[in-house]
Amino acid sequence: MTEYTDRSGATHSLPAPDAEAQVRADDRAHVFHSWSAQALIDPVPVAAGEGSTFWDYAGNAYLDFASQLVNLNLGHQHPDLVAAVQQQAGRLCTIQPSVANDVRGELAHLIAGIAPDGLEKVFFTNGGAEANEYAVRLARQSTGRRKVLSMYRSYHGSTSTAISLTGDPRRWANDVSDTGAVRFFGPYPYRSPFHSESPEQEAERALAHLEQTILLEGPSTIAAIIIESVVGTNGVLVPPPGYLQGVRELCDRHGIVYIADEVMVGFGRMGEWFAFQAYGGRPDLITFAKGVNSGYVPLGGVVISDRIAAHFDTTPFAGGLTYSGHPLACAAGVATFEVFERDGILERVRDLGERVVEPTLRSWAQTHPSVGEVRGRGLFWAVELVRDRETREPLVPFNASGADAAPMGAFATAAKKAGVWPFVHFNRTHIAPPLVITEDELVRGLSVIDEALTVADDHTA
């Protein structure tokens, strides 16, 4: 029988090897996977996880440098979260959202407590896409306007409105043509669409572009601007100084609702409860999911400003979900706050980011010709890979697939063979391990990525 040893030294048995064959057979015969050509994939059967590591059925360990989908902030099988779900299941598994529930109310209270003053109400959803859907509904219903502005480099979810607002290529085949969706260019200093020469100039020119977009679309027609506080999958694009504050000013001037999409970067990923707290700006609506309970039970939501919430004091809100504020999910969320406070998660994320990750990644820019730029904060970083540092030609083309994407595929394969599961998107690898990763694990994982980058170096000019 195959075994694995967790970080405490305890030994656990994995299912018998023949169980893998059944898992694979069932998956290939009956599971329809997202974002995939079904006949061209071969998903790895995963048997167990603990902390920052998961194991396949053969006992191969993978250090999870992607936190699954950048949602497993407190890692696999955190005992406090598991216990919270178990205890809640023993008392009350589920209840409809129209009644009051203790853990639902407690989690809403805790979330309001970390939001800026004047954002006191929380509407719970089942995940991040729904959170963005409902934030848009709140903005549209409270303003009486229709249009919503979003960035080209963005991802807001795959439900109807969320995918229409998404900028990246996943929208192309799914665009349901929400007639109110309008896109604009956000700041991206390394590949500036505004030909800027500094982050400050990038912020200034990006804001001027956004203001022109608002004026040309008609300010009185625009309900909201939705922005990932730090653009996630599409590049870990950190807002340059003054940008989010400038967005706030434009929204105030034109009566537009500012929605901060914190689905990926909220709950400690950047070393703050919400990423916008590191960069300024004060949203009217904050969407969240993922790290609020590390995905142990699906949960998301919208934090609502008092002004918008007041609109619905006597006017019914037209929206609802059967599982809004599900007790099992909320119990894991309450436990998440307890772990963050007890274990100093925000402080350790800032420390590891500043002391370990940033200097290591910046050294790669000196030793690997394929590294064009590194950027990020806390435990969320992007390493942008290029064929030529001077021209900044990406290592693989935009939205590459098949043979065109082979260099990134080879890099990922090298990392996995060495026991690290990387996050790869287009010409970038992202560093996004669980926030509970030990320093030794973090150093080991970075060392594996460092070695795997030599594969990318082979494709440089």
Side-chain angles (χ1 to χ4, degrees):
M1 181 174 290
T2 305
E3 297 179 330
Y4 71 93
T5 303
D6 65 25
R7 65 170 63 170
S8 70
T11 300
H12 306 270
S13 297
L14 289 168
D18 59 353
E20 177 180 1
Q22 186 62 52
V23 171
R24 192 182 296 275
D26 287 344
D27 181 273
R28 294 294 68 220
H30 304 294
V31 177
F32 197 91
H33 285 264
S34 57
W35 309 117
S36 301
Q38 304 303 302
L40 303 181
I41 59 173
D42 184 21
V44 173
V46 174
E50 191 269 342
S52 299
T53 304
F54 62 92
W55 288 264
D56 64 19
Y57 282 78
N60 297 309
Y62 298 95
L63 193 57
D64 193 347
F65 252 45
S67 295
Q68 293 303 288
L69 290 177
V70 197
N71 66 312
L72 205 65
N73 286 15
L74 292 183
H76 297 268
Q77 300 303 109
H78 194 289
D80 294 58
L81 272 63
V82 172
V85 174
Q86 290 172 333
Q87 291 167 12
Q88 183 63 39
R91 182 169 64 88
L92 181 69
C93 281
T94 189
I95 197 74
Q96 64 169 302
S98 63
V99 303
N101 174 256
D102 56 352
V103 289
R104 182 189 295 150
E106 183 179 2
L107 181 58
H109 173 78
L110 291 168
I111 292 170
I114 61 172
D117 291 341
L119 286 92
E120 297 294 336
K121 296 289 182 69
V122 178
F123 177 80
F124 287 111
T125 66
N126 301 312
E130 285 182 348
N132 288 326
E133 290 274 333
Y134 276 90
V136 169
R137 286 198 199 183
L138 286 160
R140 285 173 168 169
Q141 291 179 31
S142 64
T143 63
R145 302 174 181 181
R146 178 71 186 169
K147 291 178 183 174
V148 180
L149 275 55
S150 62
M151 293 181 182
Y152 276 104
R153 289 186 174 88
S154 67
Y155 182 74
H156 297 293
S158 64
T159 49
S160 60
T161 297
I163 199 67
S164 290
L165 294 170
T166 287
D168 85 10
R170 283 172 285 185
R171 169 176 52 86
W172 298 351
N174 293 286
D175 200 336
V176 294
S177 298
D178 184 316
T179 56
V182 177
R183 272 165 289 280
F184 63 95
F185 289 104
Y188 187 0
Y190 185 67
R191 299 188 183 281
S192 173
F194 312 110
H195 308 288
S196 300
E197 297 178 355
S198 69
E200 292 75 16
Q201 192 176 73
E202 181 77 355
E204 179 183 359
R205 294 182 179 183
L207 288 167
H209 163 70
L210 177 56
E211 182 174 21
Q212 283 295 305
T213 303
I214 291 170
L215 293 175
L216 291 171
E217 288 293 334
S220 64
T221 71
I222 300 170
I225 298 173
I226 184 169
I227 292 176
E228 292 175 275
S229 300
V230 172
V231 174
T233 303
N234 285 271
V236 189
L237 302 178
V238 175
Y243 182 74
L244 295 184
Q245 295 94 325
V247 171
R248 173 72 272 171
E249 192 278 327
L250 287 171
C251 288
D252 286 341
R253 192 190 317 167
H254 298 293
I256 297 169
V257 173
Y258 168 19
I259 303 171
D261 180 343
E262 292 271 343
V263 169
M264 184 172 283
V265 294
F267 291 91
R269 179 56 55 186
M270 310 295 291
E272 305 288 345
W273 283 112
F274 295 116
F276 69 81
Q277 293 167 332
Y279 301 104
R282 184 182 183 281
D284 300 298
L285 299 170
I286 305 167
T287 62
F288 64 87
K290 294 185 183 283
V292 66
N293 66 358
S294 295
Y296 279 42
V297 180
L299 182 67
V302 187
V303 192
I304 308 167
S305 70
D306 296 348
R307 177 178 60 81
I308 292 175
H311 175 83
F312 300 100
D313 281 348
T314 56
T315 299
F317 174 57
L321 297 159
T322 299
Y323 303 114
S324 176
H326 194 285
L328 297 182
C330 290
V334 171
T336 293
F337 273 86
E338 294 169 352
V339 172
F340 266 65
E341 295 291 350
R342 183 194 68 210
D343 296 346
I345 297 296
L346 298 181
E347 294 78 8
R348 80 181 307 274
V349 169
R350 290 194 291 267
D351 172 59
L352 290 174
E354 295 170 4
R355 185 171 53 81
V356 179
V357 181
E358 182 170 9
T360 300
L361 268 58
R362 298 214 180 279
S363 74
W364 294 350
Q366 305 302 315
T367 58
H368 290 286
S370 61
V371 175
E373 184 183 53
V374 299
R375 52 183 178 265
R377 191 176 190 270
L379 289 179
F380 197 40
W381 292 78
V383 181
E384 183 151 348
L385 304 182
V386 297
R387 288 183 177 271
D388 188 307
R389 282 184 179 171
E390 294 299 318
T391 65
R392 301 185 180 181
E393 177 189 357
L395 187 68
V396 300
F398 180 77
N399 199 37
S401 61
D404 288 340
M408 290 303 296
F411 159 80
T413 297
K416 291 174 184 178
K417 284 183 176 179
V420 170
W421 196 272
F423 187 112
V424 174
H425 188 258
F426 294 169
N427 67 311
R428 301 177 304 276
T429 186
H430 295 181
I431 307 299
L435 310 186
V436 294
I437 192 169
T438 68
E439 185 168 340
D440 286 347
E441 289 172 330
L442 182 60
V443 170
R444 175 166 59 85
L446 291 172
S447 177
V448 168
I449 298 296
D450 185 6
E451 181 63 27
L453 285 171
T454 61
V455 176
D457 293 339
D458 291 340
H459 297 275
T460 58

